[in-house]
């Protein structure tokens, strides 16, 4: 059969351009709005955190002021120390209690906000439109839901400390003002110094830290690659070469780290300079004011003590500047994910009985330049199976993905037909489409957790009996029974290892439990070619039986088992028919079959 | 000497000069920090309190000088210690990686994730022992200065602070481990949530293919909720520790102020001394805490050093048989392995030998046997009359290359992936690529070959094995992910390349295109006696036909 190119235009979609922006990054305003939304979700916690922090700072500032009064009392030789001492004690106690309560309140508030954002970004990322996902790849999204969220969460306790430090500095400034406005002014001389050093530091720090993180990430990748590839490194005796690669990557991290460290040290030294300057100016101004009789020695002492106590909060604010900046950048990327429009919810349309699959003029291009499907029309009647064969690059995987509704075709559409009529696969709700069409792709994954959790991921309400029955059907019962803890065995990265063939059996078992009327298998049983793994083909046959099935396979025994076979080449269907018809045709399939079944 | 102690001593000995310089600079820094309260007190006494203008200028000059010395000491310490620790961590890392990569016995009881954390975090913590040491000495120096200053002001006041405060600080620090447990629990729970998030996004396509997203959201919310719970719990614990510390040091401050105030009233000490004592009372906690933390940090560094030292242990004794130029052939002599007994063959020069099995376990056992990873339960496996077990590991790998079935591609470009450190010339690499049907691939290779299909990865791995030109090449199911036409073409290319010299090849497979090109096929059907014949003659065997034919 030849393919027609009379494509319908009903499925036409907004064209996307190859240079379309990657995932959005929120602007400053959007980021603040996002943070504001998160804060407003916990109004009581916000108020509590703010009030407690203010009280705590007031207590902390009161103590040096009272000590100043104490100096004056002592100098005046008045023996009534007790009231002042009691006040100081009260200041210390309330300062301590409020500081702790404030810290707890801000920590808890931060934790809640972080959790809210974390949940929201993951849910949004999991629901991201396939079209966007195919375009941006999972790398960027992954780094946002992991690294960026982690950076933000880690910055939360820090943000709480910075918040209270800022409040302490503000209230201390007020404290200076209660002594004398000129002493307050003397104290503010530190700010230009801080401002200048920040202005010199921040623009250089950003790129240096970014370079350091990039180098560290590259080093991590080389090390991890070497460790995962240990069997290969050992087999080839390439330890020297691979160690050199690690040493190079580690050396680059070292260079970047030293550069960042040098800049950071200069920056901290500018803080020492500000401290020295501030103390000197307070002493000088204090001396003049005492001489002029405007303030007492106790006032100057209080100012000096207040300033000495500010060394820590000032340092906290200054040193946290780039952490805060980094957390802000992370937040912008997190909020960016929530800016991706979600697909609108579609009306519910449950399936009823067997389902037929029809493709109408499917064309597809991943980058809008190279078309990989050039107009595919297909009809797979309910309950029958269609094999798709052809050499690599023919477009088999693309076709399978579109038929399964994994992503929409650039042009054309796929309809599913049950007894109640037809619906386009792309019009089904995201949550519902897998009730119609289940898919096993080339990409398989073992989820970390127990074997039971892994299999019931597709059908969470399955009982152990159902799980065991599914595993039996896919031929996995024997090895599962032999596992140390049976269904409770922990599998996944770094846990009990599974062979590639076993992983494929689990993928088939998941779909059996989910039980959709249509299944699309894309090289789901490629491992059947490994030594002694032939029973995978029987597992696939068990899944296909009684369903509408589209089976992409390079193992032609599987293709022959299907009702009909489509042969693809260069994005077109070249031949379509039963195994015998295609053999009789003497075309591409017949050639493939000869290669496959050749009596070697 | 225990290995971790030996490693730490070794680090300190090699880095003795920068370590000592860093400690000295850091001591200067902390001494100056301790002198700041004294400076403030002196300034109040001798400059602010009705002295001539020159006195205040001297006071300011003194403050500036003190801070200059303080900043210089701090800067030098930070740079010397920081750069030395980074460099030492790098050196330890490279040495440890070298050992792990060279010796299969090193670190084999650890998973990649654990090894990764030893190579990145523990090497750093071990090197940081220099920083810890400097904190310890400078903390002690700060404490001594504070004590001397206080004792000079007033013996009893000084003694009171010096005795009470460290006791309080150390008492409060006993809450540390409790808090640390909470913090670790929080980090762990947060880490679990992050790991799950990463996994779900990584597996988003498979997840969607079976409709697992709603369940994924449910599972993530559970994990994330647990993480939030521990974070809230930790916030309360942190607050308890904070309030205890603040109250204790605060009350010491009030007590000191009361005592010193009374003394100042009675004229026993001056107002400036009163100020010095009060400021010092809040400062002393610093060096005490520095010392306490350093003591804990020493334990952390020791624990890390123990893990690093385990990787750096002297090479496990390897047999030393078989020189690099040692001639073959590979001989399997009446061997028992797994269910198989009486396995017996000699790989002739230029021969391609097939091994077909009916179950994966037997294929695994034979692969391990030929790699020299396991010894046969009976019989011998030898290369040129030397048992594989008696070979020097390096020498054996130059003779016999066993390509793992799971292809790990190392490097970011095709050229890097194909480079196995043998200095293979371009023509050989190109011939290998062509033979493996991998000459049409892009140079750019993502981490682990993520941008390649399973079949492409297999073909690149095969090209790498061919380019290495080993005297004996053992392949395990090399072409399971390619279509029939490609499989046949690659089988042909493999055959052509390997037959061209005196090299021998063993292919463990059930693929007819590969087996049909073998000179002989060894068929292993469970415990049945091994059958050695050609593929063509074996196809009449029902069990063989069932195992390999399509």
């Amino acid at each position: 059969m030849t393919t027609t190119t009379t494509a319908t235009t009903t499925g036409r979609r907004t064209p996307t351009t190859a240079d379309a922006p990657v995932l959005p990054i929120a602007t400053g305003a959007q980021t603040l709005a996002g943070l504001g939304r998160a804060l407003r979700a916990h109004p009581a916690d916000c108020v509590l955190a703010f009030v407690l922090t203010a009280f705590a700072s007031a207590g902390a500032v009161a103590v040096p002021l009272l000590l100043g009064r104490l100096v004056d009392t002592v100098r005046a030789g008045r023996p009534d120390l007790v009231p002042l001492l009691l006040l100081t004690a009260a200041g210390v106690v309330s300062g301590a209690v409020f500081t702790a309560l404030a810290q707890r309140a801000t920590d808890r508030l931060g934790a809640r906000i972080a959790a809210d954002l974390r949940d929201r970004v993951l849910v949004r990322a999991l629901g991201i439109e396939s079209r966007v996902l195919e375009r941006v790849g999972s790398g960027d999204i992954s780094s946002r839901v992991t690294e960026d969220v982690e950076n933000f969460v880690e910055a939360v306790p820090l943000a709480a400390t910075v918040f209270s430090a800022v409040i302490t500095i503000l209230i201390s400034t007020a404290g200076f003002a209660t002594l004398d406005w000129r002493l307050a002014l003397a104290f503010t001389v530190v700010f230009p110094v801080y401002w200048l050093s920040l202005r010199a530091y921040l623009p250089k720090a950003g790129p240096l830290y970014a370079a350091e993180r990039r180098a560290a990430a590259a080093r991590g990748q080389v090390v991890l690659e070497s460790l995962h590839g240990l069997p290969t490194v050992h087999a080839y005796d390439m330890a020297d070469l691979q160690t050199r690669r690690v040493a190079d990557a580690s050396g680059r991290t070292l260079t970047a780290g030293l550069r960042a460290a040098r800049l950071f040290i200069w920056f901290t030294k500018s803080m020492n300079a500000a401290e020295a300057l501030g103390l000197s100016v307070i002493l000088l101004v204090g001396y003049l004011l005492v001489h002029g009789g405007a303030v007492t020695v106790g006032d100057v002492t209080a100012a000096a003590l207040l300033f000495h106590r500010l060394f820590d909060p000032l340092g906290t604010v200054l040193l946290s500047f780039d952490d805060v900046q980094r957390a802000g950048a992370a937040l912008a990327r997190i909020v960016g994910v929530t800016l991706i429009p979600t697909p609108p919810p579609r009306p519910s349309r449950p399936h009823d009985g067997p389902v037929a699959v029809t493709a109408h003029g499917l064309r597809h291009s991943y980058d809008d330049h190279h078309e990989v499907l050039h107009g595919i029309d297909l009809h797979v009647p309910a309950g029958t199976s269609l094999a798709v064969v052809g050499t690599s690059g023919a477009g088999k995987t693309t076709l399978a993905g579109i038929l399964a509704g994994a992503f929409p075709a650039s042009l054309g559409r796929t309809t599913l037909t049950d007894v109640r009529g037809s619906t386009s696969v792309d019009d089904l709700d995201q949550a519902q489409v897998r009730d119609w069409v289940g898919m096993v792709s080339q990409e398989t994954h073992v989820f970390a957790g127990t074997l039971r959790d892994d299999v019931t991921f597709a059908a969470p309400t399955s009982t152990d009996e159902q799980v065991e029955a599914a595993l039996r059907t896919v031929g996995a019962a024997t090895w599962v029974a032999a596992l140390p803890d049976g269904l409770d065995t922990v599998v996944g990265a770094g846990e009990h290892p599974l062979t590639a063939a076993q992983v494929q059996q689990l993928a088939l078992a998941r779909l059996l439990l989910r039980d959709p009327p249509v299944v699309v298998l894309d090289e789901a049983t490629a491992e059947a070619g490994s030594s002694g793994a032939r029973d995978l083909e029987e597992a696939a046959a068990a899944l296909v039986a009684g369903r509408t099935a589209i089976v992409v396979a390079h193992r032609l025994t599987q293709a022959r088992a299907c009702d009909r076979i489509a042969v693809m080449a260069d994005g077109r269907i070249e031949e379509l028919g039963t195994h015998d018809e295609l053999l009789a045709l003497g075309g591409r399939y017949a050639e493939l079959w000869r290669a496959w079944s050749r009596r070697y | 000497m225990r290995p971790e102690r030996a490693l730490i001593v070794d680090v300190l000995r090699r880095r003795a000069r920068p370590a000592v310089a860093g400690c000295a600079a850091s001591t200067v820094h902390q001494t100056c920090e301790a002198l700041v309260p004294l400076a403030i007190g002196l300034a109040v006494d001798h400059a602010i309190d009705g002295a001539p203008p020159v006195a205040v200028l001297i006071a300011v000059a003194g403050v500036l000088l003190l801070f200059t010395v303080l900043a210089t000491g701090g800067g030098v310490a930070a740079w010397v210690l920081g750069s030395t620790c980074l460099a030492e961590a790098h050196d330890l890392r490279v040495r440890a990686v070298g050992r792990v990569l060279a010796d299969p016995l090193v670190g084999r009881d650890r998973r990649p994730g654990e090894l990764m954390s030893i190579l990145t975090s523990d090497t750093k913590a071990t090197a940081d022992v220099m920083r810890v040491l400097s904190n310890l000495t400078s903390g002690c120096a700060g404490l001594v200065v504070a004590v001397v200053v206080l004792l000079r002001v007033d013996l009893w006041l000084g003694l009171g602070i010096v005795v009470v405060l460290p006791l309080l600080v150390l008492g409060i620090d006993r809450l540390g481990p409790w808090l640390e447990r909470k913090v670790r629990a929080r980090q762990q729970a947060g880490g679990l949530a992050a790991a799950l998030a990463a996994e779900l996004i990584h597996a988003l396509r498979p997840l969607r293919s079976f409709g697992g997203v709603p369940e994924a959201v449910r599972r993530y919310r559970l994990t994330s909720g647990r993480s939030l719970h521990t974070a809230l719990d930790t916030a309360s614990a942190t607050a308890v520790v904070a309030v205890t510390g603040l109250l204790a040091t605060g009350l010491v401050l009030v007590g000191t102020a009361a005592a010193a105030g009374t003394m100042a009233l009675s004229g026993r000490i001056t107002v400036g001394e009163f100020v010095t004592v009060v400021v010092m009372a809040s400062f002393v906690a610093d060096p005490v805490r520095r010392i306490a933390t350093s003591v804990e940090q020493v334990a952390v560094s020791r624990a890390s050093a123990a893990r690093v030292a385990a990787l750096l242990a002297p090479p496990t004794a390897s047999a030393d048989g078989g020189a690099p130029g040692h001639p073959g052939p590979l001989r399997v002599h009446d061997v028992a392995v797994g269910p198989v007994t009486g396995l017996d063959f000699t790989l002739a020069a230029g021969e391609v030998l097939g091994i077909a099995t009916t179950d994966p376990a037997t294929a695994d056992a034979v692969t391990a046997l030929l790699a020299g990873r396991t010894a046969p339960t009976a019989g011998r496996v030898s290369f040129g009359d030397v048992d594989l077990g008696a070979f020097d590991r390096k020498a054996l790998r130059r003779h016999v290359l066993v390509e793992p079935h799971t292809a790990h591609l190392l490097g970011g470009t095709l050229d890097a992936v194909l480079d196995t450190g043998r200095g293979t010339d371009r023509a050989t690499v190109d011939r290998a690529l062509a033979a493996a049907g991998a000459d049409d691939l892009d140079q750019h290779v993502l981490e682990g070959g993520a941008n390649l299909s399973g079949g492409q990865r297999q073909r690149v791995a095969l090209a790498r094995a061919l380019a290495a030109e080993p005297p004996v090449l053992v392949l395990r199911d090399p072409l399971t992910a390619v279509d029939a036409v490609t499989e046949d073409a690659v089988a042909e290319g493999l055959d052509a390349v390997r037959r061209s010299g005196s090299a021998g090849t063993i292919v463990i497979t059930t693929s007819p295109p590969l087996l049909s090109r073998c000179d002989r096929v060894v068929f292993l059907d469970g415990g049945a006696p091994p059958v050695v014949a050609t593929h063509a003659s074996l196809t009449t065997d029902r069990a063989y036909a069932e195992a390999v034919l399509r």
Side-chain angles (χ1 to χ4, degrees):
Chain A
M1 158 183 159
T2 53
T3 55
T4 57
T5 49
T6 52
T8 59
T9 50
T10 44
R12 190 174 177 89
R13 291 178 185 280
T14 336
T16 42
T17 50
D19 53 350
V22 283
L23 282 182
I25 294 174
T27 63
Q30 287 167 327
T31 309
L32 278 180
L35 189 61
R37 255 198 316 281
L39 283 168
R40 273 199 300 281
H42 307 281
D45 287 336
C46 286
V47 172
L48 192 67
F50 184 78
V51 171
L52 287 173
T53 306
F55 274 132
S57 303
V61 171
V63 173
L65 296 180
L66 288 168
L67 288 176
R69 294 276 72 76
L70 215 52
V71 166
D72 281 342
T73 312
V74 167
R75 281 185 42 156
R78 291 194 305 269
D80 49 352
L81 290 180
V82 179
L84 270 178
L85 283 172
L86 284 179
L87 267 179
T88 313
V92 163
V93 171
S94 71
V97 170
F98 279 120
T99 302
L101 287 177
Q103 190 180 346
R104 177 172 180 273
T106 38
D107 273 358
R108 288 170 69 97
L109 173 65
R112 284 186 204 283
I113 290 174
D116 284 357
L117 276 171
R118 184 171 61 193
D119 287 10
R120 189 151 7 119
V121 72
L122 186 85
V123 170
R124 194 60 78 93
L126 289 179
I128 193 171
E129 260 189 293
S130 323
R131 213 172 358 161
V132 183
L133 178 68
E134 295 300 325
R135 175 78 26 125
V136 301
S138 61
D140 193 12
I141 305 177
S142 178
S143 81
R144 291 188 189 205
V145 302
T146 55
E147 277 165 57
D148 289 328
V149 166
E150 259 177 285
N151 279 341
F152 182 74
V153 172
E154 270 169 28
V156 163
L158 178 80
T161 319
V162 172
F163 175 62
S164 88
V166 168
I167 300 280
T168 304
I169 293 167
L170 288 178
I171 293 190
S172 296
T173 314
F176 276 112
T178 65
L179 297 170
D180 188 276
W181 65 270
R182 284 155 291 195
L183 281 175
L185 206 61
F187 154 68
T188 55
V189 47
V190 297
F191 290 117
V193 180
Y194 285 140
W195 184 73
L196 282 176
S197 63
L198 272 179
R199 231 182 58 152
Y201 169 71
L202 287 180
K204 284 188 213 147
L208 277 187
Y209 285 121
E212 190 188 8
R213 279 196 301 278
R214 264 198 312 277
R219 178 189 74 193
Q221 188 178 326
V222 178
V223 173
L224 207 54
E225 183 179 271
S226 310
L227 293 176
H228 280 300
L230 266 182
T232 299
V233 175
H234 290 152
Y236 281 89
D237 181 31
M238 55 191 286
D240 293 343
L241 171 70
Q242 203 59 24
T243 305
R244 206 156 56 238
R245 288 173 174 169
V246 172
D248 287 346
S250 181
R252 276 190 289 276
T253 317
L254 175 63
T255 315
L258 288 177
R259 249 183 232 142
R262 192 178 306 141
L263 181 71
F264 183 74
I265 290 168
W266 278 115
F267 177 57
T268 56
K269 292 311 111 190
S270 73
M271 287 174 34
N272 286 143
E275 287 163 4
L277 183 69
L279 196 54
S280 304
V281 173
I282 285 174
L283 289 178
L284 274 175
V285 173
Y287 175 81
L288 293 175
L289 291 175
V290 169
H291 257 251
V295 301
T296 64
V297 172
D299 289 337
V300 180
T301 308
L305 293 183
L306 204 49
F307 186 60
H308 187 248
R309 289 193 147 216
L310 276 182
F311 284 10
D312 264 0
L314 282 171
T316 303
V317 172
L318 270 269
L319 294 186
S320 63
F321 244 90
D322 51 64
D323 287 317
V324 169
Q325 233 184 5
R326 201 175 306 161
L331 185 61
R333 288 163 52 79
I334 295 168
V335 174
V337 174
T338 65
L339 295 176
I340 303 168
T342 41
R346 307 271 164 71
S348 171
R349 167 75 165 87
H351 69 85
D352 194 356
V355 174
V357 180
T358 316
H360 309 273
L362 297 180
R363 292 173 166 270
H364 194 71
S365 159
Y366 289 102
D367 58 5
D368 294 323
H369 298 300
H370 307 285
E371 208 177 53
V372 288
L373 291 185
H374 307 294
I376 302 277
D377 292 286
L378 265 180
H379 178 69
V380 187
T384 69
S385 56
L386 173 78
V388 180
V389 302
T391 49
S392 22
K396 305 188 297 278
T397 294
T398 306
L399 177 63
I402 292 172
L403 290 179
F407 52 92
S410 306
L411 207 63
R413 62 197 197 111
T414 307
T415 53
L416 303 173
T417 312
D418 65 359
V419 293
R420 289 168 53 193
S422 295
T423 175
S424 165
V425 69
D426 300 322
D427 287 342
L428 286 169
D429 195 72
Q430 286 250 356
Q432 207 165 38
V433 62
R434 292 296 159 234
D435 293 338
W436 291 72
V437 190
M439 180 172 181
V440 178
S441 57
Q442 286 183 38
E443 218 178 315
T444 48
H445 185 82
V446 182
F447 294 90
T450 65
L451 190 75
R452 178 188 297 101
D453 283 346
D454 193 87
V455 180
T456 58
F457 219 128
T461 53
S462 310
T463 62
D464 273 10
E465 288 71 40
Q466 290 170 317
V467 171
E468 276 156 13
L471 289 174
R472 234 183 345 266
T473 311
V474 298
T478 325
W479 64 261
V480 170
L483 287 178
D485 300 307
L487 284 179
D488 291 314
T489 307
V490 177
V491 293
E495 300 293 345
H496 187 90
L498 299 177
T499 66
Q502 289 170 339
V503 173
Q504 290 188 338
Q505 282 178 328
L506 292 185
L508 295 173
R510 275 190 214 120
L511 226 49
L512 262 178
L513 284 175
R514 181 90 189 186
D515 196 23
V518 182
V519 292
V520 176
L521 307 182
D522 182 10
E523 296 287 13
T525 55
E527 275 301 317
S530 292
S531 295
R534 196 59 66 78
D535 37 359
L536 254 179
E537 293 191 342
E538 287 154 37
L543 177 62
V544 165
R547 288 174 225 273
T548 312
I550 291 121
V551 181
V552 177
H554 72 259
R555 298 183 53 79
L556 296 188
T557 21
Q558 259 187 291
R560 186 177 57 176
C562 289
D563 296 320
R564 285 189 310 155
I565 297 164
V567 182
M568 285 189 76
D570 299 327
R572 292 191 172 80
I573 291 181
E574 299 251 304
E575 298 167 17
L576 181 68
T578 65
H579 174 75
D580 294 333
E581 285 168 8
L582 294 185
L583 281 191
L585 192 67
R588 201 180 281 265
Y589 181 78
E591 184 196 340
L592 275 172
W593 180 258
R594 261 198 309 281
W596 173 258
S597 59
R598 189 170 136 197
R599 304 301 293 195
Y600 284 97
Chain B
M1 195 157 32
R2 296 171 62 88
E4 68 267 27
R5 181 174 293 213
L7 178 59
I8 287 176
V9 167
D10 175 54
V11 167
L12 292 176
R13 189 175 298 148
R14 280 185 292 106
R15 306 277 179 182
R17 285 171 64 141
V20 169
C23 285
S26 170
T27 300
V28 169
H29 177 225
Q30 280 303 305
T31 306
C32 292
E33 291 273 11
L35 289 175
V36 171
L38 179 66
I40 294 176
L42 285 175
V44 169
D45 242 2
H46 300 290
I48 306 293
D49 204 353
V54 65
V56 76
L57 292 179
I58 292 173
V60 167
V63 165
L64 292 178
L65 179 68
L66 181 62
F67 272 87
T68 309
V69 178
L70 181 152
T72 311
V76 170
W79 175 248
V80 170
L81 290 169
S83 57
T84 311
C85 289
L86 280 177
E88 177 60 26
H90 165 82
D91 286 356
L92 287 174
R93 184 175 305 128
V94 172
R95 274 169 60 201
V97 162
R99 297 281 300 116
V100 171
L101 296 182
D103 189 341
L105 296 178
V106 171
R108 67 168 168 182
D109 49 342
R110 299 200 185 263
R111 296 201 296 259
E114 291 177 278
L115 284 174
M116 174 83 182
S117 119
I118 295 175
L119 292 172
T120 50
S121 312
D122 287 329
T123 48
K124 182 173 175 301
T126 306
D128 274 349
V129 75
M130 289 179 274
R131 212 191 295 264
V132 176
L133 198 65
S134 105
N135 281 344
L136 201 59
T137 43
S138 62
C140 291
L143 191 61
V144 167
V145 172
V147 169
V148 169
V149 168
L150 284 172
L151 290 180
R152 279 179 58 98
V153 171
D154 186 274
L155 183 66
W156 292 109
L157 203 54
L159 276 182
I161 295 179
V162 166
V163 171
V164 172
L165 210 90
L167 282 180
L168 272 179
V169 171
L170 293 178
I172 293 159
D173 282 348
R174 298 189 66 136
L175 287 172
W178 173 68
L179 179 62
E180 223 169 274
R181 267 201 306 281
K182 297 261 180 191
V183 170
R184 211 172 303 133
R186 185 191 71 194
Q187 285 166 341
Q188 211 168 15
L192 280 180
L196 182 56
E199 180 178 25
L200 292 176
I201 294 296
H202 175 69
L204 186 51
R205 281 193 201 95
L207 193 62
R208 283 189 171 175
S209 68
F210 60 77
V213 170
E215 174 67 2
V217 169
R218 194 188 68 82
R219 289 185 185 183
Y220 182 73
R221 287 222 163 105
L222 274 180
T223 312
S224 168
R226 271 195 290 274
S227 165
L228 173 61
H229 183 77
T230 53
L232 296 179
D233 196 32
T234 312
S236 301
T238 315
V240 169
V241 173
V243 79
T244 324
L246 288 169
L247 275 182
T249 45
L251 291 176
V252 168
L253 180 73
V254 175
T256 313
T262 318
M263 288 180 183
L265 263 183
S266 66
R268 206 166 132 189
I269 60 175
T270 67
V271 171
E273 286 171 336
F274 166 77
V275 173
T276 301
V277 169
V278 168
V279 183
M280 199 60 102
S282 50
F283 170 80
V284 170
D286 260 17
V288 173
R289 192 157 288 132
R290 205 175 242 271
I291 295 166
T293 331
S294 304
V295 171
E296 283 166 32
Q297 286 295 317
V298 169
V300 173
S301 284
R302 280 182 65 130
S304 287
R307 287 187 285 271
V308 175
L311 299 186
L312 291 176
T316 43
S318 160
D320 54 359
H326 194 79
L330 180 76
R331 182 166 300 164
V332 173
H333 184 71
D334 201 16
V335 155
V337 59
V340 182
T341 52
L343 182 59
D344 196 300
F345 62 82
T346 301
L347 187 66
E351 183 182 14
V352 179
L353 178 91
I355 299 181
T357 69
T358 50
D359 70 309
T362 306
D364 287 345
V366 173
T367 311
L369 184 76
L370 294 175
R373 280 200 302 273
T374 55
T377 43
R380 298 179 58 194
V381 182
S382 62
F383 187 78
D385 250 13
V386 179
D387 280 7
L388 293 195
F391 259 91
D392 166 63
R393 250 189 318 259
K394 273 178 96 69
L396 177 59
R397 287 188 200 129
R398 293 282 158 167
H399 294 311
V400 182
L401 169 58
V402 181
E403 170 75 27
H405 173 52
T406 310
H408 287 284
L409 306 184
L410 308 168
T413 63
L414 201 52
D415 288 343
V417 168
L418 293 169
D419 180 8
T420 52
R422 284 165 170 72
T424 315
D425 62 85
R426 190 71 240 174
T428 309
V429 172
D430 286 341
R431 196 167 67 242
L433 276 171
D439 44 356
D440 56 340
L441 295 180
D442 216 42
Q443 262 294 328
H444 183 62
V445 179
L446 286 181
E447 186 178 358
N451 58 333
L452 303 177
S453 74
Q456 287 171 327
R457 277 201 293 273
Q458 278 190 343
R459 281 180 275 153
V460 172
L462 180 60
R464 177 175 63 188
L466 294 177
E469 299 188 301
V472 173
L473 174 61
V474 180
L475 299 168
R476 169 75 195 277
D477 288 316
L479 296 171
T480 49
V482 300
D483 65 82
V485 175
T486 312
E487 185 183 20
D488 189 61
V490 175
E492 183 61 43
L494 167 67
D495 195 67
V497 167
R498 291 301 294 175
R499 265 181 212 291
S500 55
S502 61
T505 309
I506 297 178
V507 191
I508 303 168
T509 184
T510 53
S511 150
L514 285 168
L515 290 170
S516 68
R517 288 176 172 85
C518 292
D519 300 293
R520 290 179 295 164
V521 174
V522 181
F523 177 50
L524 303 174
D525 181 12
V531 183
V532 184
T534 62
H535 172 74
S537 59
L538 272 168
T539 45
T540 53
D541 181 320
R542 208 180 56 79
Y544 181 80
E546 207 165 276
V548 310
L549 293 189
R550 285 145 168 179

